[in-house]
Amino acid sequence: MSENKKAGIGKKLGMGCLVVLGIFVGLGVLGAIVGDKDKDQSTPIASSSKPLEAQQANQIVGEPADSLTGPQRNAVRSATQYIELSGFSRRGLIDQLSSEYGAGFDVSDATIAVDSLNINWNEQAVRSAKSYLELSGFSCRGLIEQLMSDAGAQFSKSEATYGAQQAGAC
């Protein structure tokens, strides 16, 4: 298969994942609005009622720093919601938060928000790799490339390699 076709498949798969993720995020936001209105929305930490595995995978600890602006605190909340739904790379999460098709935050606010959280990017790569493997069969090399791709998850090479290995593709 030519490199152009491989890149096209990666882009289509990446865009398809973003569309599915967008649907889940939209449903999650709608559920939050319609659902538990009395619940305190200011704390972006993982709820203790979640399974331990989900809490460990997210690795988000503490509340946003008091020094964050309002938009940055909101970006923290959005970042936390995205991480609860799917595995994201740092760059992918910043892109999602700042995308006009995502949350629409300024890149600087999205970056500060993401960097204020304690997220284990290797574990996010594992979650993302497992999601890709649920969608399609990948070789070890193919999954690493997809995890690193600009049209894919945008993980670093070491994070992508770790994710593919831990997900069982290598």
Side-chain angles (χ1 to χ4, degrees), residues 90 94 109-119 121:
R90 178 183 177 275
I94 291 168
D109 287 337
T111 302
I112 290 167
V114 168
D115 289 345
S116 75
L117 298 171
N118 182 22
I119 299 173
W121 300 115

Side-chain angles (χ1 to χ4, degrees), residues 68-84:
L68 296 181
T69 65
Q72 291 165 353
R73 291 177 68 83
N74 288 334
V76 165
R77 287 179 53 209
S78 290
T80 303
Q81 290 169 342
Y82 281 122
I83 289 292
E84 288 175 357

Side-chain angles (χ1 to χ4, degrees), residues 16 20 22 26-27 36 38-41 44 65 68 80 104 114 116-117 120 123 138 143 150 155-156 168:
V20 170
L27 290 173
D36 214 357
D38 295 329
K39 189 174 178 183
D40 179 13
Q41 301 269 339
L68 296 181
T80 303
V114 168
S116 75
L117 298 171
N120 182 325
E123 289 305 314
F138 282 89
L143 182 56
D150 286 340
F155 285 98
S156 69

Side-chain angles (χ1 to χ4, degrees), residues 44-47 50 58 60 79-86 127:
I45 57 173
S47 168
K50 292 182 182 174
N58 293 340
I60 299 173
T80 303
Q81 290 169 342
Y82 281 122
I83 289 292
E84 288 175 357
L85 293 173
S86 180
R127 290 178 67 206

Side-chain angles (χ1 to χ4, degrees), residues 34-169:
V34 174
D36 214 357
K37 292 181 181 180
D38 295 329
K39 189 174 178 183
D40 179 13
Q41 301 269 339
S42 65
T43 306
I45 57 173
S47 168
S48 60
S49 65
K50 292 182 182 174
L52 182 58
E53 179 181 304
Q55 290 179 31
Q56 290 172 337
N58 293 340
Q59 296 288 318
I60 299 173
V61 180
E63 294 186 25
D66 290 334
S67 62
L68 296 181
T69 65
Q72 291 165 353
R73 291 177 68 83
N74 288 334
V76 165
R77 287 179 53 209
S78 290
T80 303
Q81 290 169 342
Y82 281 122
I83 289 292
E84 288 175 357
L85 293 173
S86 180
F88 276 89
S89 67
R90 178 183 177 275
R91 188 170 139 210
L93 185 55
I94 291 168
D95 285 354
Q96 184 67 28
L97 288 170
S98 61
S99 168
E100 65 182 279
Y101 304 108
F105 291 100
D106 288 336
V107 173
S108 60
D109 287 337
T111 302
I112 290 167
V114 168
D115 289 345
S116 75
L117 298 171
N118 182 22
I119 299 173
N120 182 325
W121 300 115
N122 279 333
E123 289 305 314
Q124 293 303 309
V126 173
R127 290 178 67 206
S128 186
K130 287 179 179 179
S131 293
Y132 278 116
L133 289 173
E134 287 176 9
L135 293 173
S136 181
F138 282 89
S139 67
C140 177
R141 184 174 141 210
L143 182 56
I144 291 169
E145 287 177 6
Q146 182 65 31
L147 290 168
M148 291 174 43
S149 169
D150 286 340
Q154 304 178 6
F155 285 98
S156 69
K157 184 172 184 164
S158 65
E159 292 164 348
T161 301
Y162 180 86
Q165 290 172 341
Q166 295 301 308

